[in-house]
Amino acid sequence: MNADGRISLAHLKDLGLPVPPSARIEFVADDDQLRRAVTAAIGTMGGPTGRSLGSATNPLFVAITAETASLPVAFLGTTRESLSWLSDRAERALVESIRRRYLPGATESDPIGQILEAARSLKASSVTLLPMVLGCYAEGDGSGTARSRDLETGEARLNGMFVPGACGFAAEADPRSRPLTEYSAEPWWRRLAAAVETLEAHHRYAVEMEFTVQDGQIYVLGAQPVPRDAVAACTVAAALLSEGRLDASGALGRVTPEEFATVLRPRDSGPEPRVVIGHGLGVSPGVVCGVATFDPGRAVDRGDRGETVVLIRTETRPEDLTALLAAAAIVTTRGGRTSHAAVVARAVGRACVVGLADAVIDQARDVLEVGGVTVADGDVITIDGSRGLVALGGCPQAQPAGEPPPLGPAPLSLLAAADTQRRMQVWVNADTAADAAAARRAGAAGIGLCRTEHMFLGDRQRLLADVLLGPNHSTAQESLGDLHRLQRKEFCEILSAMDGLPVTVRLLDPPRHEFLPDLTDVSIQVAVAAATGHRDPAAERRLRAVQRLSERNPMLGVRGIRLGVLLPWLYEMQIVALLEATVARIREGGAPRPQLLVPMVATAAEMRPVLAFTAHALAEARALADRDFTLPIGAMIETPRAALTAAELAGVADFFSFGTNDLTQLTWGLSRDDTDATVLRPYQNLGLIDFSPIEHLDRAGVGQLITTAVETGRRVRPGMRMGVCGEHAGDPDSIQAFHDSGLDYVSCSRQDLALARYAAGYAARTRKKAGFAQ
């Protein structure tokens, strides 16, 4: 294939296709010898038809090409007489172009010299001459384009356009063009169909062929893969797969994961809104038209009344969960792809735009100011969670987020092919039984991340806050018991939904401030009470507790395993609840496969208290179940130290799960919540980086840490299962890196399951070189 993607005439000739006769001319120093060689070649080309250079009645035109040229030089050998013949048959623009190029000139009366001059201009050691077949010499001549497939259906069906009497290849836009199928009774039809079939059978790809009919004969002038969009590529690849022309690996090679991602999205993500007022990061797809609402309470009230709500916040917090569920879409002025709003929106199926550029919320007036426009509470706006747009007014083709659209036969066929090729399993991040069941239907092979903190949102946040405030808090033990019962119930439901498949339950991970009362709010409450002479001792105690637990940088403070070490009763409650749920499922006849994941690990010593308590609780649970079962305990590798000391951790952990959100944040020293807009996009605009490490895995940095951890960990524990559960697990480029690093699975959001399955298969496919395999 040529550099421009077209198939060379030499290759077409080798396949036995009817191409115009050609002659290869080697350059020699002797001009007379060179002229004789060209003259002899021209005589051979024109002999069978009686055509000659410069003839006024039956002219021959020549094209010349070389390896150094991307396009041939055409209509060589033109004289005034032959141009006059051409002007009766070709478009005026073409004739005038040829006249200006060749007439008048030094070679006007020397057509052989004209060819020699063009050959020298190509600066090649040899050139190829071929006669131009024009499709306008006799009745029935013409030119056209033939395709091997119907791009809408993938059906093997010759189609295209034909221009009768066309002088040279004519574009399909030619007003004289007619559907090629109207010429199926012509004598040349079968020869054309055979040529197209031969070409497709050889390359196993839908092909487009340019041809000319001259004197009743078919001549192939050029060919290329059919220009197609992602949907057509998927359709054709699936058809070739079903016909047995491609195996699974070959079919995947015809459709990149990026193209497959396009097919997964709705064909039309909605028209461009009329008044786009802001751009942010589209982090959860869907086009939603609704009422702008700034207050979580009002969002719930409006949702209860059946209104479509777009919740607008500076950033969201765990206590906003009820409002997030009531809304159809979420907009935040801060945040990135792994911010609270983004993660929750993807988990619960809400369209979401975060990091809205140059936007400010005026809390006093309940307005959003962006792009010189003010959006007030109650205004109708539209957001596009794929393109990251916020616009005024409604959108007639809104497409709410939620369950991914059902796949058609072609992508389903390719997805099945990918499943046969992939080495890595694809698991899901799911926090509820409903999400787990839906993910299982969508092909998830397990849960790689069950975020237990998402079970403590909304009204339950108060219970966790009581526990975090300390064992001496008046309601701490009572709240801990309530949380225990809630967790046991939800674990049982999730294990039931994923019966027989692994369920990885991550112990509580986020920093305490996300669940504690807001320090400013409590301070104001106490100050107002004191100023009005109505002191509230309980509020004052709560303020002192919140002040004591307040941290300057909570994301690097008491979170993850540090919570388990400093507040052991919290992790112990979760472990017991999970084991009790497991026993309950076993007694019901189920086959639960729970796993524990310890987050934010930095040292093996941190894990030992969890291991000791779990061993004791597991022994008791086995006795209750009257059955031997296991509870694998894994280390979540999300600190650079954990990756670098993986050999030490492999001595105590049963498996590794790489949390690439925090691992990227800590490796780069960037906040994953807000540097998308403030640092990464400006850096990309300045050319300092060419991708966002939050969106695509940084192979040179974070990827190297993962590879190091995989290799050193498996030297200690051969065959140790390892996977990834960060947001990178749904990104095709990152999935390729995870495959190359030897990971066993990726665990992604439910919306990304199909793409992750396809990307994992694509990453593992056999890379064949034949044809047009990408």
Side-chain angles (χ1 to χ4, degrees):
M1 196 188 310
N2 296 331
D4 59 0
R6 294 178 60 81
I7 303 169
S8 68
L9 284 175
H11 178 65
L12 297 175
K13 183 178 180 181
D14 289 342
L15 292 178
L17 303 187
V19 299
S22 61
R24 184 180 179 88
I25 304 296
E26 300 287 343
F27 273 92
V28 294
D30 189 327
D31 281 357
D32 289 338
Q33 183 180 348
L34 188 60
R35 179 178 285 269
R36 287 194 297 272
V38 171
T39 302
I42 296 300
T44 301
M45 293 175 184
T49 59
R51 298 186 179 112
S52 60
L53 295 178
S55 170
T57 57
N58 197 17
L60 173 68
F61 297 94
V62 175
I64 185 171
T65 187
E67 291 183 359
T68 57
S70 58
L71 294 173
V73 181
F75 287 101
L76 289 165
T78 298
T79 63
R80 291 186 179 277
E81 292 75 14
S82 60
L83 190 63
S84 176
W85 178 91
L86 191 65
S87 64
D88 294 334
R89 294 162 174 81
E91 295 181 359
R92 179 179 299 178
L94 174 62
V95 173
E96 286 304 312
S97 174
I98 296 171
R99 187 189 306 279
R100 287 194 300 271
R101 185 166 187 174
Y102 300 123
L103 305 175
T107 60
E108 177 179 351
S109 57
D110 181 13
I112 295 292
Q114 197 177 106
I115 296 171
L116 289 174
E117 185 178 277
R120 293 189 184 97
S121 72
L122 295 179
K123 294 181 173 57
S125 60
S126 65
V127 295
T128 300
L129 274 63
L130 62 160
M132 294 187 67
V133 288
L134 298 178
C136 56
Y137 283 95
E139 187 71 24
D141 284 2
S143 298
T145 302
R147 289 177 171 174
S148 61
R149 296 264 164 181
D150 183 325
L151 297 187
E152 290 292 325
T153 65
E155 177 188 2
R157 182 176 66 84
L158 188 64
N159 65 100
M161 303 299 289
F162 184 74
V163 184
C167 191
F169 177 71
E172 293 188 3
D174 192 301
R176 298 170 296 167
S177 64
R178 303 292 304 162
L180 184 59
T181 50
E182 293 184 8
Y183 297 86
S184 59
E186 294 293 328
W188 47 263
W189 174 270
R190 289 189 176 181
R191 294 195 296 275
L192 175 64
V196 171
E197 163 64 19
T198 296
L199 189 60
E200 182 185 277
H202 179 81
H203 288 290
R204 296 173 295 163
Y205 206 100
V207 293
E208 179 179 83
M209 181 180 290
E210 298 154 13
F211 71 96
T212 288
V213 177
Q214 180 172 286
D215 302 324
Q217 298 296 316
I218 286 285
Y219 293 96
V220 178
L221 305 183
Q224 62 184 350
V226 174
R228 78 283 190 273
D229 61 14
V231 174
C234 186
T235 300
V236 171
L240 291 168
L241 177 65
S242 68
E243 295 167 12
R245 296 197 171 200
L246 288 174
D247 59 14
S249 174
L252 298 185
R254 303 304 192 267
V255 182
T256 67
E258 291 72 23
E259 289 174 318
F260 194 76
T262 300
V263 175
L264 294 178
R265 291 193 291 267
R267 292 296 297 271
D268 180 10
S269 65
E272 189 78 20
R274 290 184 293 276
V275 185
V276 175
I277 59 173
H279 294 78
L281 292 174
V283 294
S284 187
V287 179
V288 174
C289 166
V291 179
T293 307
F294 297 89
D295 180 78
R298 280 198 300 273
V300 174
D301 292 341
R302 284 173 170 164
D304 289 342
R305 293 198 298 268
E307 296 183 55
T308 301
V309 174
V310 177
L311 180 64
I312 304 176
R313 304 284 284 167
T314 301
E315 57 190 355
T316 62
R317 287 173 51 87
E319 62 263 29
D320 295 328
L321 179 64
T322 306
L324 295 176
L325 294 174
I330 304 151
V331 177
T332 64
T333 57
R334 296 179 189 166
R337 298 181 189 279
T338 56
S339 63
H340 179 269
V343 172
V344 173
R346 285 192 291 270
V348 300
R350 301 294 188 270
C352 185
V353 174
V354 300
L356 193 61
D358 302 319
V360 176
I361 295 177
D362 186 332
Q363 298 285 3
R365 295 189 297 144
D366 264 358
V367 298
L368 171 73
E369 296 176 345
V370 55
V373 177
T374 297
V375 177
D377 191 271
D379 286 350
V380 175
I381 64 172
T382 295
I383 83 156
D384 187 327
S386 296
R387 293 182 285 186
L389 303 180
V390 177
L392 282 179
C395 176
Q397 297 186 22
Q399 296 160 351
E403 287 288 340
L407 297 181
L412 278 175
S413 175
L414 291 184
L415 195 55
D419 286 340
T420 68
Q421 297 295 296
R422 60 184 170 87
R423 176 184 57 74
M424 292 191 300
Q425 291 187 331
V426 178
W427 296 7
V428 70
N429 300 340
D431 314 317
T432 68
D435 281 347
R440 183 168 191 161
R441 291 192 297 271
I447 292 179
L449 180 62
C450 176
R451 301 179 178 96
T452 54
E453 59 268 19
H454 285 180
M455 300 175 183
F456 301 145
L457 302 178
D459 295 338
R460 301 177 182 181
Q461 182 186 347
R462 177 191 59 80
L463 301 175
L464 183 57
D466 289 343
V467 176
L468 292 174
L469 288 173
N472 298 323
H473 191 267
S474 59
T475 58
Q477 289 303 313
E478 181 182 346
S479 296
L480 188 65
D482 290 340
L483 289 176
H484 181 186
R485 288 185 288 275
L486 289 168
Q487 291 243 284
R488 181 175 57 205
K489 178 177 180 296
E490 297 210 9
F491 288 152
C492 195
E493 292 171 351
I494 292 172
L495 290 172
S496 176
M498 299 298 286
D499 199 52
L501 298 179
V503 174
T504 307
V505 174
R506 183 177 70 183
L507 297 168
L508 193 64
D509 175 51
R512 295 171 297 184
H513 81 285
E514 292 191 4
F515 294 92
L516 293 174
D518 184 77
L519 177 59
T520 302
D521 290 345
V522 179
S523 299
I524 292 173
Q525 177 186 352
V526 170
V528 169
T532 58
H534 298 86
R535 290 182 58 189
D536 183 348
E540 292 175 357
R541 286 194 299 273
R542 186 163 58 250
L543 173 59
R544 288 193 294 272
V546 172
Q547 288 173 330
R548 175 172 51 83
L549 299 177
S550 179
E551 298 175 276
R552 184 65 60 87
N553 193 341
M555 291 300 289
L556 298 180
V558 182
R559 56 170 295 205
I561 183 59
R562 300 158 199 164
L563 273 173
V565 171
L566 300 177
L567 286 75
W569 55 87
L570 188 55
Y571 271 19
E572 290 170 4
M573 175 274 292
Q574 293 191 290
I575 294 167
V576 171
L578 179 59
L579 287 170
E580 289 176 350
T582 302
V583 171
R585 282 297 304 146
I586 290 173
R587 287 175 171 176
E588 292 169 359
R593 292 179 57 191
Q595 301 185 152
L596 270 183
L597 182 59
V598 182
M600 214 62 187
V601 172
T603 71
E606 289 177 305
M607 290 190 64
R608 291 195 175 99
V610 174
L611 294 170
F613 179 82
T614 302
H616 172 73
L618 180 60
E620 292 185 350
R622 286 170 173 163
L624 289 173
D626 194 24
R627 182 184 300 180
D628 189 18
F629 66 93
T630 62
L631 181 62
I633 301 177
M636 195 167 182
I637 309 296
E638 47 190 337
T639 68
R641 188 184 193 282
L644 294 172
T645 60
E648 174 190 346
L649 292 172
V652 295
D654 296 311
F655 65 94
F656 285 166
S657 179
F658 292 90
T660 56
N661 298 347
D662 272 306
L663 188 57
T664 298
Q665 175 176 240
L666 296 174
T667 301
W668 277 75
L670 290 172
S671 167
R672 73 191 200 194
D673 288 332
D674 47 33
T675 50
D676 264 308
T678 58
V679 176
L680 295 177
R681 270 186 281 178
Y683 265 43
Q684 287 177 281
N685 293 337
L686 291 169
L688 300 178
I689 58 174
D690 55 9
F691 72 99
S692 165
I694 293 176
E695 184 175 1
H696 305 296
L697 184 77
D698 163 32
R699 295 194 186 204
V702 180
Q704 187 58 45
L705 285 173
I706 292 174
T707 299
T708 298
V710 171
E711 293 174 351
T712 57
R714 285 187 175 146
R715 279 201 290 269
V716 173
R717 192 185 289 259
M720 185 181 191
R721 173 171 277 185
M722 301 184 187
V724 62
C725 60
E727 293 299 321
H728 294 93
D731 170 56
D733 182 72
S734 304
I735 288 172
Q736 179 70 62
F738 298 143
H739 172 87
D740 295 342
S741 293
L743 295 184
D744 299 301
Y745 68 90
V746 294
S747 185
C748 60
S749 65
R750 181 158 53 93
Q751 287 82 357
D752 292 332
L753 273 172
L755 178 58
R757 287 168 57 193
Y758 186 84
Y762 186 89
R765 80 190 197 286
T766 303
R767 298 180 179 277
K768 295 185 177 180
K769 301 297 184 182
F772 304 110
Q774 299 173 15

